[in-house]
Each structure stands twice: as structure tokens, then as C-alpha cells.
Amino acid sequence: MARDRPSAQAKGKAEGKGKGGPAAEAQAAGWKKKVREPADQDAVVKRLDDCKVVPVIRIERVEDAVPLCRALLDGGIDLAEITFRTDCAAEAIRAVCQSVEGMCVGAGTVVDPQQVDAAIDNGADFVVSPGFDARVARRCAARGALYLPGTITPTEVMTAMSYGLRHLKFAPATTCGGLGALKSYGAVFPDVAWMPTGGVTEANIIDFVTLPNVVASGGTWMVGEAAIRSAAASGDWSAIVDAARKARAAAH
């Protein structure tokens, strides 16, 4: 790394909490028995920083989640962001967390506290949102999970920082200023580390992850829906293994 990364969450109390704080929210939510506890937040950040590439996955069938993530792991990628863009997302997260040892699993496209609970109850280690949501921030804090909200404008960044967040998603990266914006934000927000997503490809990921304020980049090119369907139909996941291997190599 070019410089020390900020800790996963600020140590002070987050602003904007509801009455009673996270502990009261946790008790009131009546959460189900969890598959596992979320990984330590700083440990997740280290995994992001080591791997540099985060596959952003849309799962159409639960039965594809485990062989897909095993293929990613075989290709050298030990993180996966399973998005809440399909009804089976929570079940897919559970299947991977129970069956793919060594995979750090994130939940993506999380937009409300109920999805936070569904993700973490089923084993997710971190949570990613398309934008910042105070309710999601509070619930992630209460449940001890790393939260990476999407932020673009300085106001959004400062709002997220006021909740103690120092690791943020920047998306859609290439249409919202790309490398130039992230370089500028490095001077303005030196304590923030970014995960750019959207428009990041095998060809340009190295340009993003070599910035000193970028911890990792998200992408879909190695887990395209057509490639997943083809692998599932044939039972041969070697193309995903190869794509993962190339993606990891491109990011280092």
C-alpha cells in the first residue's frame, strides 16, 4: 500500500442514531439466528486491499452461487459481493457462507435495514449500498458489519463521514469523474479509502487500484450473467476460474 489505510470505522459514537442506540435497535429488530458473525471490519478491509478486485454478482438461481464462488476462489479471488437484485440473494449468501470456506461474502444493492438483517443473518461479512442511507448505516453499526455506501458528491461523502464511515463506494465511477475525481478527493478527504465500481474493467482496473486512496474496485466482467448461465448449463466452471485469475492479475 502507498500509505496506511484508515480504520474500518471511527471509534467514536456515530451521529444520528435513534433513541437507545444500536443495542436497542438490535433488541427491537428480533433478528433470527445467524449463520455466522460478520468478519472483523479491519480484517475485511485487509482482504479488500490484498485482493483488489470484488466481483459484483447477480444470482438468478441459488444453486449457481456455490459453484460460482468456488470458481472465483480457485481463480484467486476470495471476495464476492452478492447483490440484492434478485429474490434469492439472501439464500445465495447463506449457501456460499455455509459451503465455500475462505470466501469473504458481501451483500450489495442493500437499500434498507431489513435487507441488512437478511444479509447478516445469512452470513454476510460486509454491506454495500448504491447510495448512503442513515438507517442502513445505523443497522450495520449495530450488527458490527463494514458498510460501504455509494457516495459521489462532497456533501454525500461528508454525511457518510459524520456516521464514522471511512471506506466508501464510488459509483458509477467512470461516468462520475473517474480517476480525476478520486485523485481530487484524495486531497480533500485524505482519511477516506474508496471502492470504485461501474465502468471498471480488466483493462483499466490497475489505473484505479494503484491510486493511494483506493482500497479495491468492484466489477462484473468476470461474472457476467451469460457466462454464469453457460457454466451452470454445462457444469464446467473453468471459464469463470480463468476470468477470475485474469481479473486478479490485472489488478496487481
Side-chain angles (χ1 to χ4, degrees), residues 15-17 25 113 131-140 147 159 163:
E15 296 181 13
K17 295 176 183 173
E25 290 185 16
F132 174 79
D133 186 286
R135 302 167 304 157
V136 172
R138 288 195 293 266
R139 187 57 56 84
C140 287
Y147 176 41
T159 300
Y163 280 77

Side-chain angles (χ1 to χ4, degrees), residues 1-244:
M1 292 183 292
R3 68 182 186 194
D4 291 339
R5 302 292 183 196
S7 60
Q9 301 285 0
K11 301 300 183 182
K13 293 183 179 180
E15 296 181 13
K17 295 176 183 173
K19 185 177 180 180
E25 290 185 16
Q27 187 176 6
W31 295 323
K32 301 174 184 177
K33 183 178 180 180
K34 300 184 290 294
V35 171
R36 63 185 186 187
E37 293 294 332
D40 175 80
Q41 295 180 42
D42 288 331
V44 174
V45 171
K46 187 178 187 306
R47 293 278 285 269
L48 291 166
D49 193 47
D50 288 344
C51 191
K52 295 296 185 190
V53 57
V54 182
V56 180
I57 303 168
R58 183 181 186 274
I59 289 289
E60 296 178 334
R61 305 189 316 159
V62 172
E63 55 264 38
D64 297 339
V66 168
L68 171 62
C69 287
R70 283 179 177 157
L72 291 172
L73 203 57
D74 288 345
I77 294 178
D78 61 356
L79 300 119
E81 178 187 330
I82 297 176
T83 62
F84 273 74
R85 299 177 188 175
T86 59
D87 292 339
C88 67
E91 192 177 351
I93 290 170
R94 174 177 286 263
V96 174
C97 291
Q98 290 180 327
S99 301
V100 186
E101 186 177 355
M103 181 63 74
C104 181
V105 181
T109 323
V110 172
V111 298
D112 58 44
Q114 291 72 35
Q115 288 182 333
V116 174
D117 290 341
I120 296 176
D121 286 343
N122 285 289
D125 295 305
F126 63 98
V127 172
V128 184
S129 292
F132 174 79
D133 186 286
R135 302 167 304 157
V136 172
R138 288 195 293 266
R139 187 57 56 84
C140 287
R143 303 208 61 175
L146 180 70
Y147 176 41
L148 297 100
T151 54
I152 293 293
T153 68
T155 298
E156 292 168 345
V157 176
M158 292 170 67
T159 300
M161 291 179 69
S162 76
Y163 280 77
L165 304 176
R166 295 296 182 270
H167 292 83
L168 307 177
K169 175 181 174 179
F170 185 77
T174 57
T175 57
C176 292
L179 296 169
L182 288 168
K183 289 176 181 177
S184 296
Y185 278 180
V188 180
F189 302 114
D191 295 329
V192 173
W194 300 89
M195 185 174 74
T197 306
V200 179
T201 68
E202 188 173 293
N204 67 12
I205 187 170
I206 194 66
D207 297 327
F208 284 97
V209 299
T210 51
L211 292 177
N213 60 336
V214 169
V215 66
S217 287
T220 60
W221 75 90
M222 78 300 288
V223 286
E225 292 175 38
I228 294 173
R229 291 191 200 104
S230 176
S234 67
D236 180 3
W237 293 86
S238 61
I240 300 292
V241 175
D242 290 342

